[in-house]
Amino acid sequence: MPDIQTEKIALSTRDGICPCHVYHPTGNGPWPAVLVYMDGIGIRPAMLEVGERLAGYGYFAMLPDLFYRTGPYAPKNARTVFVDPEQRKEHLEKFMPQLSAANIMSDTQAFLDYLDGRADVQRGGIATTGYCRGGNLSLTAAGTYPERIVACASYHGSRLANDQPDSPHLLAPRIKARVYIGGASEDATFPDDMKQRLEQALTAAGVEHTIETYPAHHGWVLSDTLAYNAEAAERHWQTLTALLAETLKRA
């Protein structure tokens, strides 16, 4: 893998200043861009590993801290944040509401504008990937910015086909990206009926897509979670890099 460079930037959005971590190979590029939507736990070393590894594969990876609206915060402990009652209550009440589709799709315009302004980012379409809540946001972004996003991945994404008006599956007719969905066999946030609903929506809209179910629990990709599954996590990397190679690098 190539040597990589890292940057931490402060990006202006409609609602404030969003810290973002940027990773890219050493050199002038231009590099194909991947926008990474964090999971519902937040930015921490295990999440940043995703950006670092993407850069190692030759991509320009951008990881925004989507909890910036809450102000500065200490990194969450992925093993306790949803287990300890007090931590869970604070997280669900203070942090998770910040990840509304309306908020993050507004932010995404700023992320895209930033990528447009980088001379070392390849022109044309970008890819998105996301984890847990970020998987939902990755798919939502593909339907919100169809002219910009050519590839979209979601891993253990939550509530991808729900009954709310902002459910990602309702955006299927707008999606032009190639889509990969990696669900978990043990995941109350994306059960079989949601998988079927999403499959039907993407098929009816003519979206090129793959939906797979991994023999794992919700949250298997990130190395610091209780659900981490090394074999499934490597399968995630195989499918993600294949998607990127067949879309971004081909483009």
Side-chain angles (χ1 to χ4, degrees), residues 20-152:
C20 300
H21 296 263
V22 171
Y23 299 84
H24 55 84
T26 299
N28 297 325
W31 315 107
V34 183
L35 176 57
V36 181
Y37 291 100
M38 68 187 202
D39 67 0
I41 299 171
I43 297 296
R44 60 201 191 281
M47 191 73 250
L48 296 177
E49 288 171 5
V50 174
E52 185 175 3
R53 189 159 171 179
L54 281 169
Y57 286 125
Y59 297 97
F60 184 105
M62 181 178 186
L63 281 80
D65 185 345
L66 304 179
F67 285 150
Y68 73 92
R69 291 176 175 83
T70 66
Y73 66 95
K76 305 294 180 178
N77 184 329
R79 293 178 174 271
T80 62
V81 65
F82 291 118
V83 177
D84 179 87
E86 291 186 7
Q87 292 183 51
R88 178 182 175 87
K89 183 176 187 296
E90 180 197 37
H91 197 72
L92 293 179
E93 293 180 356
K94 179 179 179 181
F95 288 90
M96 291 303 291
Q98 310 306 320
L99 302 184
S100 70
N103 279 352
I104 308 307
M105 290 309 103
S106 172
D107 294 343
T108 297
Q109 182 62 67
F111 305 152
L112 294 172
D113 290 344
Y114 172 79
L115 293 172
D116 283 345
R118 294 275 312 214
D120 52 357
V121 169
Q122 178 177 290
R123 300 301 94 188
I126 73 158
T128 62
T129 187
Y131 305 85
C132 183
R133 174 60 180 166
N136 178 301
L137 296 169
S138 178
L139 190 58
T140 300
T144 305
Y145 297 98
E147 303 302 327
R148 298 301 315 281
I149 297 172
V150 300
C152 164

Side-chain angles (χ1 to χ4, degrees), residues 22 39 100 153 156 172 200 204 227 241 246:
V22 171
D39 67 0
S100 70
H156 46 83
Q200 292 167 357
T241 54
E246 294 166 9

Side-chain angles (χ1 to χ4, degrees), residues 189-203:
T189 72
F190 190 46
D192 288 344
D193 61 328
M194 280 197 189
K195 293 172 188 172
Q196 294 168 4
R197 185 186 294 184
L198 180 60
E199 173 69 47
Q200 292 167 357
L202 294 174
T203 299

